[in-house]
Amino acid sequence: MRYAEVGPGERSSRVAKTKLFDALGEIAKALSTGRRVEIIDLLAQGERSVYEVAAEIDQSLANTSHHLRSLANAGLVRSRRDGTHIYYRLAGIEVEVLWSALRSTAESERADFPQLVTAYVGPAGQYPIVDHSELLGRLKDGSVTLLDVRPEAEYRAGHISGARSLPYREVEARLASLPTKGEIIAYCRGPYCVFAPQVVRLLRSKGIAASRLKDGFPEWRLAGLPVTVGSDVGLIPAEDSSIRDR
């Protein structure tokens, strides 16, 4: 079968299209390993040094640096140098949107994905799950204590307004400091974070009414809901906020 000769304009268009889709492919290639996707999830909490990232993903410094360079070359992360240390952060909110879309696709299209989540996070149905709308309403009426159980540095980088910091490793030692009335809601890094589920199970085993936010701080922020930066607890505005629950 013979094809008609392609004109100069068409060849130019083909070259441009190839470059365009190759650029998109580079982004997909940068996310081709689980460790790089895990880095995106981590950096959604805030800036991290290379050493901190390596410790979190349980990789050598050399491997971690390679992964970070690949993400940077694809435009997904940015870096800055402070003395001898290099710090990385997500390039922008669009990267969080991409990460959210990747999760949604996996949850919708991979038949084994619920089992994979359960094997890591734990079975669903062990405790109540609270969505954004319910949490926002209960924060406004003061009927709940909200715990951010991520490491304190992540809390300071940004947290849900009205939340108090109580890192998951410290919860059992500080049970006496928790309110004795009302319900406690815990949240952490996102839907695939084990900190909040562990805390909720612990609290419920002690007879304390506890629930978990359905996802985490990045999803709350992405939905445009009230957040606070620093060590201040912050307040939920009295007026209604726009809620985009996923």
Side-chain angles (χ1 to χ4, degrees), residues 26-94:
E26 286 299 314
I27 294 177
K29 183 179 179 181
L31 295 174
S32 63
T33 74
R35 299 298 66 71
R36 294 177 193 172
V37 177
E38 191 177 352
I39 289 171
I40 296 295
D41 184 49
L42 175 65
L43 295 183
Q45 314 302 319
E47 188 179 66
R48 290 289 188 281
S49 71
V50 178
Y51 297 97
E52 291 171 317
V53 175
E56 285 278 356
I57 68 172
D58 195 24
Q59 296 283 292
S60 69
L61 192 60
N63 284 344
T64 302
S65 296
H66 172 72
H67 290 316
L68 286 165
R69 283 195 299 270
S70 295
L71 291 169
N73 289 338
L76 297 175
V77 304
R78 299 281 187 268
S79 66
R80 69 175 179 89
R81 181 180 290 276
D82 184 3
T84 59
H85 296 284
I86 300 177
Y87 293 85
Y88 284 85
R89 66 188 185 278
L90 294 187
I93 196 69
E94 293 80 7

Side-chain angles (χ1 to χ4, degrees), residues 55-197:
E56 285 278 356
I57 68 172
D58 195 24
Q59 296 283 292
S60 69
L61 192 60
N63 284 344
T64 302
S65 296
H66 172 72
H67 290 316
L68 286 165
R69 283 195 299 270
S70 295
L71 291 169
N73 289 338
L76 297 175
V77 304
R78 299 281 187 268
S79 66
R80 69 175 179 89
R81 181 180 290 276
D82 184 3
T84 59
H85 296 284
I86 300 177
Y87 293 85
Y88 284 85
R89 66 188 185 278
L90 294 187
I93 196 69
E94 293 80 7
V95 182
E96 290 191 44
V97 174
L98 175 64
W99 170 217
S100 177
L102 178 60
R103 294 200 314 261
S104 295
T105 300
E107 290 164 0
S108 298
E109 305 303 331
R110 281 200 59 149
D112 64 337
F113 205 74
Q115 289 74 32
L116 295 173
V117 174
T118 297
Y120 178 59
V121 178
Q126 290 184 331
Y127 41 76
I129 303 293
V130 176
D131 65 18
H132 292 171
S133 178
E134 182 179 355
L135 176 57
L136 187 63
R138 298 184 67 181
L139 285 170
K140 285 180 178 179
D141 65 27
S143 63
V144 68
T145 297
L146 181 62
L147 297 182
D148 184 322
V149 299
R150 300 174 300 161
E152 188 177 353
E154 296 179 17
Y155 177 86
R156 292 195 303 269
H159 56 271
I160 296 175
S161 296
R164 56 180 283 192
S165 176
L166 184 55
Y168 73 103
R169 294 184 185 276
E170 301 176 20
V171 172
E172 189 162 16
R174 294 170 57 185
L175 284 175
S177 70
L178 296 176
T180 57
K181 294 183 180 180
E183 185 179 4
I184 291 174
I185 297 177
Y187 73 89
C188 52
R189 291 172 172 173
Y192 310 145
C193 175
V194 298
F195 303 159

